Amino acid sequence: MKPIIAPSVLASDFANLQSEVEMLNESQADWLHIDIMDGRFVPNISFGFPVLQAIQRHAIKPLDVHLMIVEPELYIEQFREAGAEIISVHLEACNHLHRTIQQIKATGAKAGIALNPHTSVQLLDDVIADVDLVCLMSVNPGFGGQKFIENTYRKIESLKNLIIARNSKALIEIDGGVNQQNTPLLLEKGADALVAGSFVFNSADPLKTIANLKNQA
Ligand code: DX5
Ligand code: ZN
């Protein structure tokens, strides 16, 4: 199976957002990964609803929204209205994760949980059957262009085992430092979806880079 490719719009040229989104429309990308940062959960601020809505106006592919914010439960419905198809919240940001997952599903969106590099996948044991996606952070969230953390391979294996043991349908998404070099092993370990920001947008030919990620397996 070919991986789902989700380029991260964070690394795009915001001054030319429409043409960047149109490029992704034409490309072999499956989803658009949207990084929302609040300056509290992570030490950076990205963008909010007006920009997300601008992306939605031009995008023809599902918006995979990654919330790096505290108290995400306050904004779930608003993100859904702004066009999110998949909404992922951080386990570390949720006191009532089970409730927040149900809240996301009630909007009709797919529900994802993101895990920081230090967070054990075993903490998902009691919710894995309820979620559509687990986003394993392979960098510390907050910035694009960081170095891939090698321990991620081990986490994919553990998560895959948990998904099988609990009969879950959750997809495994890898986010941070993804490139052509680490993709084969990520897929071999069981990754389903790959987020790539700087590797795509800093390349000479983003369309070709996306196609290579999609078809190299
Ligand atoms: C990091 C974000 C990532 C980031 C990936 O906090 O969640 O989605 O945009 O960027 P690269 O691929 O450059 O590591
Ligand atoms: Zn992300």
Side-chain angles (χ1 to χ4, degrees):
M1 267 268 284
K2 286 183 181 176
I4 292 165
I5 305 297
S8 170
V9 174
L10 185 68
S12 71
D13 177 2
F14 289 169
N16 292 295
L17 200 47
Q18 180 174 347
S19 63
E20 297 282 53
V21 171
E22 285 167 353
M23 181 277 289
L24 296 174
N25 287 345
E26 273 175 47
S27 77
Q28 292 188 49
D30 300 276
W31 302 340
L32 274 58
H33 185 82
I34 311 288
D35 288 307
I36 306 290
M37 305 177 182
D38 66 353
R40 295 192 60 212
F41 182 71
V42 288
N44 197 10
I45 299 175
S46 57
F47 53 80
F49 295 111
V51 173
L52 178 56
Q53 284 155 351
I55 293 169
Q56 192 209 8
R57 276 201 295 281
H58 301 288
I60 60 169
K61 298 180 181 183
L63 304 183
D64 167 36
V65 176
H66 176 194
L67 298 182
M68 287 162 274
I69 65 175
V70 298
E71 298 180 309
E73 64 277 4
L74 300 181
Y75 298 101
I76 300 299
E77 288 74 19
Q78 231 176 311
F79 278 108
R80 177 63 173 159
E81 279 160 29
E85 290 266 332
I86 304 157
I87 300 176
S88 295
V89 294
H90 266 266
L91 177 143
E92 304 86 0
C94 295
N95 287 330
H96 301 284
L97 183 59
H98 183 275
R99 177 185 289 151
T100 305
I101 291 163
Q102 307 311 321
Q103 185 188 353
I104 296 170
K105 288 172 138 184
T107 68
K110 294 205 182 309
I113 301 175
L115 296 187
N116 279 338
H118 74 273
T119 303
S120 169
V121 299
Q122 304 308 329
L123 292 174
L124 297 174
D125 193 22
D126 292 295
V127 286
I128 192 70
D130 293 327
V131 299
D132 300 295
L133 179 138
V134 177
C135 175
L136 289 182
M137 292 307 302
S138 39
V139 298
N140 285 293
F143 304 91
Q146 301 183 83
K147 190 173 173 292
F148 178 83
I149 296 172
E150 301 280 326
N151 187 54
T152 309
Y153 297 121
R154 210 176 56 81
K155 289 181 81 169
I156 300 174
E157 284 178 350
S158 314
L159 177 56
K160 192 83 195 169
N161 289 336
L162 186 65
I163 286 171
I164 293 166
R166 295 282 170 259
N167 210 3
S168 164
K169 297 203 164 52
L171 297 175
I172 301 176
E173 178 178 68
I174 308 302
D175 186 8
V178 170
N179 58 39
Q180 200 78 30
Q181 277 72 51
N182 52 30
T183 295
L185 193 51
L186 291 171
L187 299 178
E188 189 186 314
K189 297 290 181 188
D192 302 293
L194 303 172
V195 175
S198 47
F199 185 66
V200 166
F201 286 97
N202 294 350
S203 70
D205 186 347
L207 283 172
K208 193 162 165 231
T209 304
I210 292 168
N212 289 343
L213 286 172
K214 180 83 187 170
N215 297 301
Q216 71 172 321

